[in-house]
Structure formats: structure tokens, C-alpha cells
Amino acid sequence: MKYIAVLLATLALLAPRAWADDYSLLEWDDLIPLEEQLNPPPFPEVDHEDEFAIPAQPIGKVVPTLNGRKVRLPGFVVPLEGDSKQITTFLLVPYFGACIHVPPPPTNQIVHVEYPTGAQVDDLWDAVWVTGTLRTVGASHEMGDAAYSLEGTSVEPYNL
């Protein structure tokens, strides 16, 4: 009995440290504030008569409580910087082809990822898991504006 008490006390002391580095699993809807989910802004209309008219990217608000959280988020890579072997900066988007087709997703559905180690992404149509610290600081790029940025600690193939 004394052995069990010592074991439980030790686990109680170690548990907070072991769980402190855990990452929260996020879904894309978690990046949209509740009021915006309940009352979404109008989606820009595409002018089919003018082939050069590009609708504006919808601006989405951020969820302030996500700032500084360690998260894990699945998505697709839109490469911004790197070479044919390693991508160091990219946009993470919720579906394949986002930012390539217009209009791009709302800003709160794009995450600007800095991953200095370099991620090897063999096929851009394959989903990935990105882990890191999320910030409610936006970034702008010709491919689309992002309402969030993420300091990546790992990029892995998406497997359930």
C-alpha cells in the first residue's frame, strides 16, 4: 500500500511536466470565432463576364485565445520558400488547391508557417500534420493573406 502511495505521488509530480509540452489538436473551424461561424460574412461573387476580375479575399477574424498555443493542425501545403527538396516557408490551407484557385479562403483559414528545418513534401496534393506554436499575427503574400502564423516544430505526412 505504501508503494502505491509513493507511485501515485511521483506520478502527480511528473504529470504536469509531461503534459506541458502536449499539443492541442485543432480543426479548421477552431480558427473561426464563434460569432463569425454563426453569422458568416458574405462570400465574394465571381464576375463570370470579366475573366480578369479577381474577387477580394474574405477577411476573417482571429480567435485571440489561440495566440501562443502549441497546436497540431492538418492541411495542405502551398510552398512559398525553399527548394525542390525542402520547403522552409509555406501557407497551410484546409483543402487542396486553396490559394491557387480564386478566390482564396478567408484569411482565418490560412496559416503562414515558418519551418526553418525544412519540410520534405513529396506531393503537394498529400495532406500533412503541422505542429508548432500558433500566433494571431497575420502575414501577406501574393498567394493569399493569412490571419495566423505558426512557428513549426514538425511537419509529417497526414495519417489517422
Side-chain angles (χ1 to χ4, degrees):
M1 187 61 107
K2 189 174 183 181
Y3 173 74
I4 293 174
V6 170
L7 178 62
L8 290 175
T10 304
L11 287 175
L13 289 173
L14 295 177
R17 279 188 226 139
W19 293 333
D21 290 334
D22 284 351
Y23 291 85
S24 302
L25 178 62
L26 286 185
E27 295 182 19
W28 285 95
D29 284 348
D30 297 333
L31 300 177
I32 305 171
L34 182 59
E35 65 273 6
E36 195 172 304
Q37 290 182 34
L38 297 174
N39 299 303
F43 203 73
E45 291 193 30
V46 176
D47 182 358
H48 296 288
E49 300 299 320
D50 184 357
E51 64 184 272
F52 298 107
I54 299 173
Q57 180 182 14
I59 305 298
K61 296 178 182 172
V62 297
V63 178
T65 56
L66 293 177
N67 193 43
R69 283 219 1 226
K70 292 181 178 184
V71 301
R72 186 170 191 217
L73 182 67
F76 293 87
V77 171
V78 177
L80 300 178
E81 293 180 17
D83 56 31
S84 61
K85 297 186 189 283
Q86 300 288 320
I87 299 169
T88 56
T89 304
F90 58 91
L91 299 177
L92 187 69
V93 295
Y95 55 88
F96 177 75
C99 294
I100 295 168
H101 302 293
V102 292
T107 56
N108 58 11
Q109 294 294 283
I110 300 177
V111 178
H112 182 266
V113 179
E114 293 282 340
Y115 189 61
T117 307
Q120 181 177 347
V121 180
D122 296 324
D123 295 315
L124 294 178
W125 54 83
D126 289 342
V128 297
W129 285 107
V130 178
T131 304
T133 303
L134 190 68
R135 303 272 181 228
T136 55
V137 175
S140 185
H141 191 273
E142 64 187 37
M143 298 295 275
D145 295 332
Y148 294 95
S149 58
L150 189 137
E151 301 163 30
T153 56
S154 74
V155 177
E156 304 165 352
Y158 179 85
N159 293 320
L160 290 176

